[in-house]
Amino acid sequence: MKLQTRALLFAALVAVAAAKQTSTAVDTKKSNPSSIKSANEMIQGSLPNYASLLFGSVERPESETAPIRTGLRKSSRRAQEGDDGEGGDGQEGDDGEGGDGQEGDDGEGGDGQEGDDGEGGDGQGGDGDGGDGEGGDGDGGDNNFGLCFSGLSVVKLEDGSTIRMRDLKIGDRVQVTENGKFDTVYAFGHYQPDSVAEYLRIQATTKAAPITISAPHMLFLDSRKAVPASSIKVDDILLGGNIVTKIDKVSMMGAYAPFTHSGSIVVNGVVASNYVSLTGRSTFLGMDMQLIAHNVVAARRALCQLNLCEEKYNDEGVATWIPYHTAARIAEQEFGIALFTIVVGGVIAFARRRQKIML
């Protein structure tokens, strides 16, 4: 009976020791299997000490000690199982917390990365700066460099037939005045069959279809004054008595500007100039733009009459012998040129007057 009492007391001590060691392991900042294992080893190592304290070193018969050893083993096993269970719970708790923390970090990191990708994509699409912002289609696709007539415009030949502007050739004789005079096409100032350009479509009281002409190209009013097509208005009277009834804008294929010796050509029943206005008006420095342009190309006309001219065109379809961009830059400086001319003229006049006084 005393042995049984001692055995129960020993089991209680083992349980207390196990609980104490388990509490110590759980309180550690980060529990791991090694700490739990060391706690179990401490418990197992202390069992012989508790046993010697309770039972001493007195030898007992096997019949008395066998039940005690069995009970001790069961108590130790229960204590170890309890330790393992609690340790397992601690470990699972730590793993669970670690997992949550890690998942939270991954989630936030993922969101951040997705945000970066999104922003990068939007920035690149400022492509929209690029693709759309650059307006590449407007500059590269459609050619708005208009100095001419569309390919569908109609002209009348000297034999009485009519042809499209796209079929007109150097050497053809076309109508150039309202009263039926014909002249020879000696060159093309602009020749670009594959371009698509924006034109003004001007309907007048003629039997022909509306004339399609670029805005800076000049037409003749009934006063025989050449003005840019952009300045034409409804109810204006064109040379030959035709009245303008409608004006709108269209995009059409082909760009052609035939030059005749007379400086004019009849297109769709309307008398038009061969030339464009570089100022947007009918004059430059107070002089008639038609007269200036016609005199500028006089040397070219003379060469072509001698069959010494050769037609070549740049990427814009403009004849290489026409210094169009240079002339356009000069025209932009009209005010400066006028001011310089006035100043120089004033200085010369003052110097001559002073010279007369001194004499």
Side-chain angles (χ1 to χ4, degrees), residues 272-322:
S273 169
N274 291 169
Y275 315 117
V276 298
S277 171
L278 299 177
T279 62
R281 302 184 308 279
S282 60
T283 60
F284 175 71
L285 296 176
M287 296 179 288
D288 183 68
M289 184 64 74
Q290 174 73 15
L291 180 62
I292 293 174
H294 196 58
N295 288 331
V296 166
V297 298
R300 182 70 179 183
R301 285 198 305 275
L303 289 174
C304 290
Q305 283 181 328
L306 298 174
N307 295 322
L308 297 177
C309 58
E310 182 182 359
E311 288 290 287
K312 291 183 180 180
Y313 309 98
N314 61 22
D315 293 337
E316 295 172 321
V318 178
T320 55
W321 58 270
I322 297 178

Side-chain angles (χ1 to χ4, degrees), residues 194-225:
D194 297 329
S195 69
V196 176
E198 183 178 271
Y199 295 99
L200 294 176
R201 182 168 56 187
I202 301 175
Q203 177 69 63
T205 54
T206 64
K207 296 179 180 179
I211 182 175
T212 50
I213 185 172
S214 58
H217 212 107
M218 293 190 290
L219 296 174
F220 288 94
L221 296 176
D222 194 47
S223 61
R224 295 188 177 275
K225 181 179 181 181

Side-chain angles (χ1 to χ4, degrees), residues 202-284:
I202 301 175
Q203 177 69 63
T205 54
T206 64
K207 296 179 180 179
I211 182 175
T212 50
I213 185 172
S214 58
H217 212 107
M218 293 190 290
L219 296 174
F220 288 94
L221 296 176
D222 194 47
S223 61
R224 295 188 177 275
K225 181 179 181 181
V227 297
S230 58
S231 67
I232 297 293
K233 302 181 296 296
V234 173
D235 294 332
D236 279 351
I237 302 176
L238 304 178
L239 184 60
N242 297 312
I243 301 174
V244 176
T245 58
K246 183 180 179 181
I247 303 173
D248 57 3
K249 293 182 179 180
V250 293
S251 293
M252 301 188 73
M253 178 71 73
Y256 305 88
F259 282 13
T260 64
H261 293 288
S262 62
S264 62
I265 186 171
V266 176
V267 180
N268 289 71
V270 176
V271 184
S273 169
N274 291 169
Y275 315 117
V276 298
S277 171
L278 299 177
T279 62
R281 302 184 308 279
S282 60
T283 60
F284 175 71

Side-chain angles (χ1 to χ4, degrees), residues 281 284-285 330-342:
R281 302 184 308 279
F284 175 71
L285 296 176
I330 293 174
E332 290 174 356
Q333 306 301 321
E334 181 181 14
F335 176 78
I337 295 172
L339 182 62
F340 176 78
T341 302
I342 293 173

